Amino acid sequence: MSLHVENLIAQHFRKSVFKNQAVYIITLFIGVLLLYAAFSGWENYTNQNETSEKYQHESREDWLKNPDKNPHRMAHYGNFAFRKNTSLSVFEFGMEPFFGNAIYLEAHKQNIANFSEAGFSNSMLRFGEISIAMVLQILLPLLIFFLGFNSVAAERENGTLKLLLSQGISWKQLLLGKTLGIASVIMMLFIPTIIILVFVWLLLQNFAVSFDETVKMLLFIGFHFLYLLFFCAIAVLISASSKTSKKALISLIGIWLVFTIILPRTTQAIGAYIYEAPSKIKFNSDIEKDILKQGDSHNPNDPHYKAIKDSLLRVYKVDSVQKLPFNYSGFIMTEGERISSNIYNKHLEDLLEIYKKQNSFSKTVSFINPYIAMKNVSMGLSNTDYDSYIDFQKQAEAYRYDMAQKMNTLQIKYISNKKPGPNDKPLTIGKEHWADVQEFHYEPKGILAVLKSEIISIISIILWISLLFIFIKIAAKNLKAI
């Protein structure tokens, strides 16, 4: 099917748009914002990753420089896990400023990520930072509505709409032509933005990109393109169904406020209210209570661990732990670490289930709000969503548990049960064993995990695009020139 008529309508609309001086000013302003967003994203990415690399390296050196020591003391000395940003986080900050990027790892205790950007910033951060994704998802739709509110309504007001339709132009051609016209203006901002985005993305990775990251980038671009095209069509449909340009403008601003401001805030509040999560103090208190019910591994008279001691003495047919063929203290610490970790993981899974319900509520609302759907997909592809933060916590906890148990194993194997005398050298092992614990490296979620996590939002976007074609088809049959 030829699009000759639609192209002519689009060209005419584009020429008429730029007769308005305000369009040049607004377009220039948004262009400057996009450049600033790219620069601030670049600076944020490089600063955080350089800081993470620096302190991860220093933490590793500090660990390896420890002298000969008791392994249990090394387990309590601990280590750090740092999270590096992914390349797409340059364009979509997501929840990154509010999540910590470093966790202190130690035996018998699970800590949460700290040192978030919000923790070191003033209250202005709560209003959000300017990122390329924010400009694409919030400001460009507003510009689209500004360009398209009178696209058809003005034709109706000045009487040219009847003239166009009487010359054989169908409503479908008119709607598509106007949509293409708005899209062509927006592409003058979108395409240069994407070119800069791709160049920066390649530069950050030294032009050596993985297949996984390439797919994420292509999806990031593709979904934002569909998202903007959706708003172009909405602007034209509202304009075509409004009697005057004024009514169209008020309706479109109302839609923009509901989609980008009111619903996102309301959804978060309702989700947190329906699925209330325990406070940090209560969460930690419940864990401590359950651990104490199981027993205190540092208390030699604790009933649970005393029963373990008695059973070991019977099995090895000895009358004291000093006569056991392995280090008793290390064995008990291994058991204590296993119990405390299992209890923590159980409470964490319960907490994550609550957060999962909160997030599911928000994702379900994406069926009535394309902005929420787009935001979720964008954050998922950039690894700046809540699931990525939890994934970092889990990787760090797995590393912490492995570190603690390796130290306990070394204690069982190399440390004697006989306590040294007051003038004897403390029981230690050689510092070369510290290298047995590998350095922590965070692995971001792959594309398949992202798509699985954001499947509801993706389906929502597809449904919105499908509904759009249905709305255009219905409008083409039912709209009137007067």
Side-chain angles (χ1 to χ4, degrees):
M1 182 181 70
S2 175
L3 293 177
H4 177 67
V5 174
E6 288 86 343
N7 287 331
L8 287 176
I9 295 172
Q11 289 174 18
H12 179 268
F13 177 83
R14 185 169 59 250
K15 290 177 181 178
S16 64
V17 160
F18 284 105
K19 290 179 181 178
N20 187 345
Q21 294 294 324
V23 173
Y24 286 100
I25 297 172
I26 295 173
T27 304
L28 179 63
F29 175 71
I30 293 180
V32 170
L33 275 182
L34 285 167
L35 289 175
Y36 172 77
F39 173 76
S40 61
W42 172 289
E43 188 176 42
N44 179 69
Y45 174 88
T46 53
N47 287 343
Q48 181 163 322
N49 280 4
E50 285 174 2
T51 301
S52 296
E53 286 181 4
K54 175 187 175 183
Y55 288 111
Q56 187 73 72
H57 180 68
E58 288 183 4
S59 175
R60 180 63 178 176
E61 284 190 336
D62 288 343
W63 173 268
L64 295 176
K65 286 179 180 178
N66 271 276
D68 296 350
K69 190 181 291 188
N70 188 296
H72 190 63
R73 290 187 63 192
M74 277 299 290
H76 279 287
Y77 179 83
N79 212 330
F80 278 93
F82 288 88
R83 176 169 58 101
K84 291 179 64 177
N85 287 349
T86 60
S87 54
L88 272 176
S89 67
V90 172
F91 318 111
E92 170 63 89
F93 298 159
M95 300 182 181
E96 190 75 25
F98 303 95
F99 292 154
N101 54 24
I103 303 177
Y104 175 54
L105 310 173
E106 57 181 323
H108 311 308
K109 188 175 181 181
Q110 292 82 5
N111 299 308
I112 62 171
N114 290 305
F115 310 111
S116 68
E117 186 178 346
F120 298 100
S121 301
N122 58 37
S123 59
M124 288 301 292
L125 185 62
R126 73 186 61 182
F127 293 102
E129 294 183 305
I130 298 176
S131 66
I132 286 181
M134 187 271 276
V135 176
L136 293 178
Q137 294 163 17
I138 297 179
L139 296 185
L140 279 191
L142 185 59
L143 175 59
I144 288 170
F145 286 172
F146 175 74
L147 295 174
F149 78 94
N150 64 351
S151 56
V152 180
E155 303 274 13
R156 178 180 283 112
E157 287 177 303
N158 58 30
T160 56
L161 181 57
K162 290 176 64 177
L163 184 61
L164 286 171
L165 296 174
S166 65
Q167 291 179 343
I169 296 176
S170 66
W171 269 109
K172 184 178 179 181
Q173 289 174 322
L174 181 64
L175 294 176
L176 287 176
K178 295 290 186 178
T179 301
L180 290 174
I182 300 173
S184 66
V185 176
I186 293 301
M187 287 303 109
M188 295 174 68
L189 280 171
F190 183 72
I191 292 175
T193 300
I194 295 305
I195 292 172
I196 294 173
L197 186 151
V198 172
F199 177 74
V200 171
W201 175 72
L202 290 171
L203 200 61
L204 288 172
Q205 301 176 89
N206 296 318
F207 293 86
V209 295
S210 65
F211 173 78
D212 195 82
E213 288 297 307
T214 302
V215 174
K216 287 180 180 178
M217 169 57 83
L218 292 174
L219 290 175
F220 185 89
I221 295 171
F223 277 116
H224 277 90
F225 173 77
L226 292 175
Y227 175 77
L228 294 176
L229 198 61
F230 169 82
F231 278 95
C232 291
I234 287 293
V236 173
L237 285 172
I238 296 297
S239 180
S241 60
S242 300
K243 295 295 183 181
T244 64
S245 299
K246 183 180 178 180
K247 288 183 179 179
L249 181 60
I250 293 172
S251 299
L252 289 171
I253 290 177
I255 291 172
W256 180 83
L257 286 172
V258 170
F259 278 175
T260 62
I261 307 296
I262 298 173
L263 268 182
R265 271 70 175 175
T266 306
T267 299
Q268 292 171 2
I270 294 175
Y273 177 77
I274 296 175
Y275 306 105
E276 186 177 359
S279 66
K280 180 182 176 182
I281 295 175
K282 188 179 186 305
F283 177 74
N284 291 330
S285 175
D286 290 343
I287 292 174
E288 289 297 325
K289 287 178 182 178
D290 284 354
I291 290 176
L292 289 175
K293 287 179 183 178
Q294 288 290 325
D296 183 1
S297 60
H298 288 81
N299 180 6
N301 297 317
D302 182 272
H304 176 77
Y305 292 96
K306 188 177 183 302
I308 294 177
K309 182 182 74 171
D310 293 341
S311 65
L312 288 173
L313 295 179
R314 285 196 301 270
V315 170
Y316 286 94
K317 298 178 180 179
V318 293
D319 56 5
S320 69
V321 294
Q322 283 76 24
K323 295 179 181 179
L324 289 172
F326 55 85
N327 183 268
Y328 170 73
S329 179
F331 180 86
I332 291 299
M333 290 302 107
T334 300
E335 174 69 5
E337 190 66 54
R338 183 188 66 80
I339 290 174
S340 63
S341 293
N342 285 341
I343 291 172
Y344 173 81
N345 289 332
K346 179 182 179 301
H347 280 271
L348 180 62
E349 288 301 322
D350 292 341
L351 181 64
L352 293 182
E353 184 61 29
I354 295 174
Y355 289 143
K356 183 179 179 182
K357 290 177 180 178
Q358 291 181 359
N359 290 333
S360 295
F361 178 80
S362 176
K363 289 177 181 179
T364 302
V365 174
S366 66
F367 286 108
I368 60 173
N369 187 353
Y371 168 73
I372 292 179
M374 186 65 252
K375 187 67 177 177
N376 288 335
V377 172
S378 179
M379 291 192 299
L381 292 171
S382 306
N383 288 104
T384 57
D385 59 337
Y386 182 77
D387 288 346
S388 295
Y389 168 72
I390 293 301
D391 184 55
F392 168 59
Q393 288 270 168
K394 289 183 175 180
Q395 289 187 38
E397 169 57 19
Y399 177 88
R400 185 206 67 80
Y401 182 78
D402 183 65
M403 174 193 74
Q405 295 297 53
K406 279 186 178 180
M407 293 299 104
N408 289 330
T409 301
L410 290 172
Q411 183 174 348
I412 293 171
K413 186 175 181 180
Y414 294 110
I415 298 297
S416 171
N417 279 313
K418 295 180 180 179
K419 295 183 179 180
N423 298 319
D424 294 336
K425 181 183 177 182
L427 297 175
T428 62
I429 63 173
K431 61 183 180 181
E432 67 275 5
H433 290 287
W434 311 151
D436 292 348
V437 177
Q438 300 297 316
E439 186 175 5
F440 176 82
H441 289 288
Y442 169 62
E443 291 295 330
K445 291 190 304 178
I447 183 61
L448 293 179
V450 171
L451 294 177
K452 181 180 178 181
S453 174
E454 301 300 336
I455 186 64
I456 293 177
S457 297
I458 292 171
I459 292 173
S460 171
I461 293 174
I462 294 172
L463 285 176
W464 274 104
I465 297 299
S466 302
L467 284 173
L468 193 63
F469 287 105
I470 296 174
F471 290 153
I472 291 174
K473 189 174 181 180
I474 294 173
K477 291 182 180 179
N478 296 292
L479 285 172
K480 305 296 180 182
I482 300 176

